[in-house]
Amino acid sequence: MAARADPQRLVGRDPALASLRAATGAVARGSGRLLLVTGEPGIGKTKLLAEAAAEATAGGAVVLPAQCWEGDGAPAYWAWVQVLRAGIAAGGDPGEAHMLLPGERVSAPSAGEPADARFRLFDAVVSFLTGLAERSPVVVVIDDLQWADPGSLRLLEFATRHLASRPVLLLGAYRDEDAGEQLRKLAGTSERVPLFGLPKHDVAALMRTMSPNEPSPSVIDDVWRRTGGNPFLVRELTRLLVAQGGYRGMERSPSALLDTVRDILERKLARLSQPCADLLTAAAVIGPEIRLEVVARFVDEPDQLNVLLDEAVTARVLAEPPTHAGPFRFSHDLFRETLVAGLAAEHRIRLHLAAGRALEALGAEGIPVHPAELAAHFYAAVTTAPADAVRYAMAAGAEARSRLAFEESCEHYQRALAALDRTADPDPAARLELVLLLADTHTLAGHSPADRDAYRQAAATARTLGDAEGIAAAALGLHALGWRQDHAEAIALLTEAVDALPGEPTALRARALAALARDLYHARAEQQDWQQARVLAEDAVATARKTGDAATLAFCLLALHDASWRAATAATRLPIVDEMLAAAQQAGDGDLRAQARLLRATALIELGDPEGLAELDAYCRHCERLRHARARYGGLTRRSTLALLAGNLSDAKDLADKALRLGLEIGEPDAYGVHETLSWAVRRATGDWHTFTEIASDPWSDIPLGEAITQITAGDIDGARVTLSRLPVDTLNYMHDLEMLAFLTEALVTAGTDEQRARLHERMTDYAGTHIVVGGCASYFGAVELYLGMLAQSLGRLDEARASFGTATDLHRKLGAPAWAQRSSELAAACRRQEWTHTCLFRRDGDTWTITFHGTEAHLPDRKGLHDLAVLLAQPGEAVHAVQLHTGRPPRGGADEVLDEQAKNAYRRRLADLETDIDEAEADNDTYRAEQAHDERDALIAQLSAAVGLGGRDRRLGDESERARKAVTARIRDAIDRVDRAIPELGEHLRTTVQTGTWCTYSPEHPIRWRSGR
């Protein structure tokens, strides 16, 4: 008989293994990805991963294995803790990723920082893997992802995005039916290798590797049918059949085969000795990893432990440990699940309590024990040890929170609350503490509205206890939610807290007053509420000064700044910001210092002070030193604003795009809004805003402005006019900056009415001399005069518009905003050209010409050249023949005689009559009549001369054109010289735009509509 193959080898998985080989080959070429193996329990996922890992190792890759832990006892990020440890063992430097390891601590962030703190941790892990991959390809192998904690899955998703161009393969496996929503969402965007049951011929091949006897077709068919081709079940059922005497009996009675998975596994477990079964049952309750120091406490004799473990390994219920010291693991999770499922509830509780006590004892001996392990066992035994369940759940919650695992922390605190209710005499103060912890942690995890509900619960508990400080703590927590909550609710609770707190100056009272002031201001309520906010903020600052607490003073000064923030109040806000900066520096609060610098830069730029640009640069550099992701985001966005101001519009766009990507990574709520306002500003600087269509949302939901702008950018001007007709310009309410008025200006200039434009111009005049800065330098829209000029120009007030654009140009140059200076200068020039169109006059009044150009008027005596210019000015861009200008009629074609004999006789008769008229007029001393006759005689002689050449020969038309060309050119030049002496600007304009010759033209670069004419 031929030698049988290894029963542990992969059978029937060549296509799946080929997919994994292709992935490891691609990663060696620098193409990373996430590849997930899916299937039911026992289908061969773990074996497939092991085979792929072995081949990757043989190919020179660094393999970092991990296995997720079923249940609640594992530390947060457990899968990645294992990956990190394996990477360190391979020679990698964890750097900041050491925060991930149990026992390491990071500062618990405030409500505004959790997303970027977690980003920093995730980025450190990615950097660690990237560093390892610089030496050789890396393959991260994570099994049983269906049991991964939320933090591990978040990190896996993050790594998938950021390692796509690195030689790092992320390889995972999970059970389809046990996958949660978070894992299913991740799998939906990843490449998957599904495993199904083996076909019948592969089942037969697998059975042959495990038995000295050849199974009959009927036995193969029955095993394949009853196991569904599941390799694990095929192996276990085959082992049972072989142990019971081979296949012979089964061939006669195939129905004797076991019908269920549990039947197969229970039959396997039933063959163990009772002490071994008891030990394995306790081990199944303890957890996936069977630590020797723990299970040793479940046997009477120390020597007995090794004997029982050997028995379980021989039976293939336990896998051989990778090292002598363990830990042991079940050869398949199905064995563990079967053991736990068979326990009665009371027995299970006793085992969990015993496991908890054993772990307690180990901790007392100095052996590391994860708080999450203790919490899981004591919570499972909460009915018998509720106080221990509370204590360890709180410890586990604090540990998870310190390691930025906020979701797990929330679960622990919720269990602590449930356990507290089971104690004989629940302590209300302890409950308040727990509720506040849970509320804060919900906020860190971003669990809205769960965070609001928890703060409401905390306030209710504090109210029952009469605990004013508890009410204030809940109110401040609700306030810290900021944009994610309703200001009205926070205002009500903060008001209650301020009223309940004692009147003496404390940091808590000062902060409550400051928070109430900020919520009142940002609620966008009526003017009286803003005034109340200012009074409360001043009270908060006075209280904070009495406490001597620099951090509280900086917090309260921020509230005073916000309550004082209106358009054109920069000079008033600057002293507040300066004091806030000093207090933040004294307190050593880097984030408050950054905020103070940003607000200082904002005020200075509003005032047009170029020092504001230096201050904004200082803010960006300060953010870089802070090194956390939220500060990095702030620095990137404000670097974009600086590039915008400097005129580096391409850099401004690139920085804004980069900031948007980072903002979305860290969960920055205003990431899209800031990106949008920066993009609009880039378009404004070039005057190209009409083509900008990336409008995320209407920032002013109570007015139709956003809708109108969307219509304008889509080219629906008529629709925008209808929309803007509903816009109440007089009653518009806005807050600390003029962003809305800038948008409104552009909309009304395009599609508004003159009445709306005039009202807006009147309102914006109040802010002349200032610059429009959006928020805290989130963007820059130029000087107010830029928009005043646009409005005045649209109203036809061109002198006023040109003056506003000129002032805007000067303000932009002074600030150091060259692109905006160029834009306003171009608008001034365009306005000047438009002004010319409406003020240019070239009109004959009797013997005098009235000429007006660009506001200058002159009167010139009548000359023939002025007549010629009037003809040309009336037909800009059109060629006029010199003969037409000279004779008043178009030239005749061909080379015919200019005058026939009949015409010549008529000329002679008229000349004779004119000679008589001249003599009579001179005799009567009628100079006017004599001058008129002289002029007509001279004109006739000139025309007759033009028609007759030397010796009285008739001239041809070619001769007429040449004579006309010379005459018209001379008199037009003479006329332009006379105009130049009267209006030099017009003389220069005519010299560059009027061409003379056989054909004469007036061709201005920009069309000018001359009024009247001859």
Side-chain angles (χ1 to χ4, degrees):
M1 182 180 295
R4 295 193 175 274
D6 180 4
Q8 300 301 316
R9 77 176 181 86
L10 285 173
V11 174
R13 296 304 186 205
D14 290 343
L17 188 57
S19 297
L20 269 61
R21 284 177 182 146
T24 54
V27 79
R29 297 189 294 273
S31 176
R33 66 174 118 170
L34 171 64
L35 183 64
L36 297 174
V37 179
T38 69
E40 65 183 23
I43 203 68
K45 302 183 296 295
T46 300
K47 287 186 177 295
L48 185 64
L49 292 186
E51 184 73 16
E55 292 188 5
T57 300
V62 175
V63 176
L64 309 179
Q67 186 169 16
C68 300
W69 185 328
E70 181 185 12
D72 306 315
Y77 303 110
W78 178 237
W80 291 96
V81 168
Q82 298 169 76
V83 170
L84 188 64
R85 285 173 174 168
I88 294 172
D93 179 7
E96 287 190 296
H98 72 87
M99 296 185 294
L100 197 68
L101 298 175
E104 297 289 341
R105 291 290 185 271
V106 294
S107 299
S110 68
E113 300 172 343
D116 62 58
R118 184 138 54 181
F119 177 89
R120 179 179 171 185
L121 172 63
F122 289 7
D123 188 51
V125 173
V126 167
S127 297
F128 170 67
L129 295 176
T130 301
L132 278 175
E134 289 177 353
R135 294 178 293 179
S136 57
V138 173
V139 179
V140 176
V141 181
I142 306 178
D143 200 4
D144 289 324
L145 277 169
Q146 73 276 0
W147 294 326
D149 56 277
S152 290
L153 290 177
R154 282 176 180 266
L155 181 45
L156 179 59
E157 181 184 5
F158 183 92
T160 300
R161 291 197 305 271
H162 290 268
L163 291 170
S165 60
R166 304 288 185 176
V168 179
L169 172 64
L170 301 170
L171 188 58
Y174 69 94
R175 299 180 184 179
D176 310 72
E177 66 270 22
D178 294 329
E181 181 180 357
Q182 188 180 3
L183 178 56
R184 288 198 301 271
K185 182 178 178 181
L186 176 61
T189 60
S190 306
E191 182 180 352
R192 285 175 288 175
V193 178
L195 297 184
F196 304 102
L198 298 175
K200 191 183 298 183
H201 66 273
D202 284 330
V203 169
L206 183 56
M207 293 177 69
R208 292 188 188 103
T209 67
M210 303 179 64
S211 172
N213 301 319
E214 181 73 17
S216 69
S218 62
V219 170
I220 292 170
D221 184 72
D222 216 358
V223 170
W224 173 71
R225 180 172 54 83
R226 293 178 183 274
T227 62
N230 184 297
F232 172 75
L233 297 180
V234 170
R235 288 189 179 93
E236 294 306 319
L237 183 53
T238 302
R239 287 192 181 102
L240 281 174
L241 294 176
V242 171
Q244 292 174 350
Y247 299 126
R248 297 185 185 279
M250 303 307 300
E251 292 172 5
R252 293 189 299 272
S253 179
S255 62
L257 283 170
L258 302 170
D259 286 329
T260 66
V261 173
R262 184 170 294 177
D263 286 338
I264 298 172
L265 301 183
E266 287 179 347
R267 182 69 64 90
K268 177 78 173 275
L269 293 169
R271 298 176 61 83
L272 300 171
S273 68
Q274 190 60 45
C276 182
D278 291 342
L279 179 67
L280 291 177
T281 301
V285 170
I286 291 171
E289 290 188 354
I290 307 171
R291 294 167 58 180
L292 296 180
E293 63 269 28
V294 179
V295 295
R297 297 174 185 269
F298 287 83
V299 296
D300 297 329
E301 299 293 336
D303 293 341
Q304 187 185 11
L305 176 62
N306 291 331
V307 175
L308 297 177
L309 290 174
D310 287 342
E311 179 184 351
V313 170
T314 302
R316 294 189 175 87
V317 177
L318 292 184
E320 191 76 39
T323 64
H324 176 71
F328 284 82
R329 284 183 175 274
F330 286 93
S331 61
H332 201 282
D333 291 313
L334 288 172
F335 282 119
R336 178 173 176 264
E337 293 167 17
T338 300
L339 285 166
V340 173
L343 284 173
E346 292 183 359
H347 190 190
R348 187 184 300 118
I349 290 172
R350 287 196 300 273
L351 287 174
H352 274 296
L353 184 60
R357 297 298 181 206
L359 290 169
E360 262 187 335
L362 288 177
E365 295 170 8
I367 298 175
V369 177
H370 300 309
E373 284 187 88
L374 287 162
H377 287 302
F378 280 107
Y379 188 74
V382 67
T383 55
T384 56
D388 290 320
V390 173
R391 178 158 53 96
Y392 287 117
M394 288 187 68
E399 196 268 347
R401 175 168 162 159
S402 73
R403 298 177 60 238
L404 311 180
F406 305 121
E407 294 84 0
E408 292 87 336
S409 182
C410 285
E411 292 177 8
H412 288 304
Y413 287 140
Q414 285 169 335
R415 288 177 177 176
L417 276 171
L420 183 65
D421 290 338
R422 287 180 173 268
T423 59
D425 187 18
D427 181 2
R431 181 173 184 79
L432 175 60
E433 178 187 2
L434 257 174
V435 172
L436 283 171
L437 272 172
L438 178 61
D440 289 344
T441 311
H442 272 307
T443 301
L444 295 171
H447 291 166
S448 182
D451 43 12
R452 294 197 295 274
D453 291 339
Y455 282 123
R456 292 180 189 124
Q457 185 182 355
T461 303
R463 200 175 290 120
T464 302
L465 294 173
D467 187 338
E469 292 186 356
I471 295 174
L476 286 170
L478 201 60
H479 163 78
L481 297 180
W483 67 276
R484 293 192 291 117
Q485 52 90 43
D486 180 10
H487 288 287
E489 184 176 19
I491 289 169
L493 192 54
L494 284 165
T495 302
E496 180 184 356
V498 168
D499 292 342
L501 285 169
E504 62 264 17
T506 63
L508 184 59
R509 180 175 181 80
R511 286 178 178 269
L513 286 166
L516 178 56
R518 291 189 76 193
D519 268 304
L520 279 171
Y521 175 75
H522 290 288
R524 302 192 184 200
E526 299 300 325
Q527 185 67 31
Q528 58 265 28
D529 292 327
W530 288 359
Q531 293 170 352
Q532 183 187 0
R534 170 81 189 204
V535 172
L536 286 167
E538 289 172 344
D539 190 3
V541 170
T543 304
R545 287 200 176 104
K546 293 175 184 177
T547 67
D549 185 342
T552 298
L553 177 59
F555 181 86
C556 295
L557 285 166
L558 175 60
L560 180 59
H561 170 276
D562 284 4
S564 307
W565 201 347
R566 308 281 188 282
T569 60
T572 304
R573 301 190 324 262
L574 266 177
I576 302 173
V577 173
D578 289 340
E579 186 180 0
M580 176 186 168
L581 180 58
Q585 288 172 333
Q586 182 182 347
D589 191 320
D591 288 332
L592 275 175
R593 283 179 61 194
Q595 194 162 13
R597 279 197 175 281
L598 181 61
L599 295 175
R600 188 170 190 274
T602 301
L604 289 169
I605 294 173
E606 281 182 38
L607 294 171
D609 188 336
E611 185 186 343
L613 304 187
E615 189 67 35
L616 188 55
D617 178 68
Y619 162 79
C620 295
R621 287 185 282 107
H622 183 81
C623 286
E624 292 161 6
R625 290 194 296 272
L626 286 174
R627 298 185 64 190
H628 59 67
R630 185 167 49 85
R632 195 188 317 169
Y633 169 79
L636 277 173
T637 53
R638 274 55 183 188
R639 286 280 179 214
S640 178
T641 302
L642 278 172
L644 170 69
L645 281 158
N648 301 324
L649 303 184
S650 177
D651 290 347
K653 183 180 183 306
D654 290 345
L655 286 164
D657 292 344
K658 187 176 181 180
L660 175 62
R661 291 192 292 271
L662 176 59
L664 295 178
E665 288 281 5
I666 66 175
E668 172 60 39
D670 205 23
Y672 276 119
V674 171
H675 182 265
E676 185 176 293
T677 193
L678 282 167
S679 300
W680 272 98
V682 169
R683 296 291 183 138
R684 279 189 176 91
T686 60
D688 189 30
W689 75 275
H690 289 80
T691 65
F692 184 58
T693 58
E694 300 171 19
I695 300 177
S697 61
D698 184 353
W700 305 286
S701 57
D702 55 338
I703 60 173
L705 178 56
E707 179 185 353
I709 292 175
T710 302
Q711 291 168 323
I712 291 170
T713 55
D716 183 11
I717 307 302
D718 290 338
R721 287 194 181 99
V722 174
T723 300
L724 288 172
S725 67
R726 308 193 308 268
L727 193 68
V729 175
D730 285 333
T731 59
L732 287 179
N733 188 15
Y734 54 94
M735 293 189 64
H736 48 267
D737 62 43
L738 299 175
E739 178 185 20
M740 184 187 72
L741 297 190
F743 275 91
L744 185 55
T745 296
E746 290 161 335
L748 292 182
V749 164
T750 305
T753 65
D754 282 349
E755 182 182 0
Q756 287 175 316
R757 295 166 187 155
R759 292 297 300 127
L760 183 58
H761 186 278
E762 183 179 346
R763 290 193 67 179
M764 291 197 75
T765 302
D766 294 339
Y767 308 108
T770 63
H771 294 250
I772 301 178
V773 183
V774 179
C777 289
S779 186
Y780 172 81
F781 286 178
V784 168
E785 274 74 5
L786 176 64
Y787 300 91
L788 288 173
M790 293 168 65
L791 289 166
Q793 185 179 21
S794 69
L795 290 166
R797 288 145 48 176
L798 300 179
D799 283 343
E800 186 178 350
R802 183 162 49 86
S804 292
F805 288 137
T807 303
T809 302
D810 294 339
L811 289 171
H812 291 142
R813 285 173 179 162
K814 177 186 175 184
L815 177 63
W820 292 87
Q822 180 180 349
R823 173 66 182 146
S824 49
S825 177
E826 289 172 351
L827 288 172
C831 187
R832 183 178 298 109
R833 291 191 295 270
Q834 185 180 3
E835 189 178 13
W836 290 352
T837 299
H838 290 280
T839 60
C840 296
L841 179 67
F842 208 93
R843 184 179 63 211
R844 179 185 176 190
D845 297 312
D847 295 333
T848 304
W849 287 81
T850 300
I851 302 173
T852 304
F853 187 78
H854 198 195
T856 302
E857 184 175 304
H859 301 275
L860 299 178
D862 188 25
R863 287 290 185 272
K864 293 179 181 179
L866 296 177
H867 290 257
D868 298 334
L869 285 176
V871 172
L872 296 177
L873 294 179
Q875 307 174 70
E878 295 184 15
V880 181
H881 202 282
V883 171
Q884 177 79 32
L885 294 172
H886 190 53
T887 66
R889 58 170 177 75
R892 288 182 291 184
D896 296 334
E897 294 179 354
V898 175
L899 294 177
D900 57 21
E901 196 61 33
Q902 183 178 357
K904 293 176 187 176
N905 292 331
Y907 270 100
R908 293 186 182 101
R909 287 193 297 273
R910 179 56 184 161
L911 284 173
D913 292 340
L914 287 172
E915 289 291 346
T916 302
D917 288 342
I918 291 170
D919 291 340
E920 292 176 353
E922 289 177 347
D924 296 337
N925 208 16
D926 187 347
T927 57
Y928 179 78
R929 179 183 171 196
E931 184 176 335
Q932 292 290 97
H934 273 293
D935 287 344
E936 185 178 352
R937 186 192 63 177
D938 292 343
L940 287 175
I941 291 173
Q943 291 175 8
L944 195 58
S945 298
V948 180
L950 292 174
R953 295 190 299 271
D954 290 337
R955 289 186 181 272
R956 299 293 174 177
L957 284 176
D959 298 326
E960 178 188 43
S961 295
E962 179 61 19
R963 182 176 180 84
R965 181 188 69 79
K966 292 180 179 179
V968 168
T969 297
R971 66 197 198 192
I972 286 179
R973 288 176 180 172
D974 174 72
I976 291 177
D977 288 340
R978 293 176 181 274
V979 170
D980 185 66
R981 287 192 291 272
I983 308 176
E985 190 174 8
L986 177 56
E988 178 63 25
H989 172 71
L990 293 175
R991 281 197 179 91
T992 58
T993 57
V994 173
Q995 295 178 337
T996 58
T998 302
W999 294 91
C1000 301
T1001 59
Y1002 167 61
S1003 303
E1005 181 181 358
H1006 302 285
I1008 295 179
R1009 188 169 59 253
W1010 292 87
R1011 287 188 292 167
S1012 292
R1014 288 192 299 175

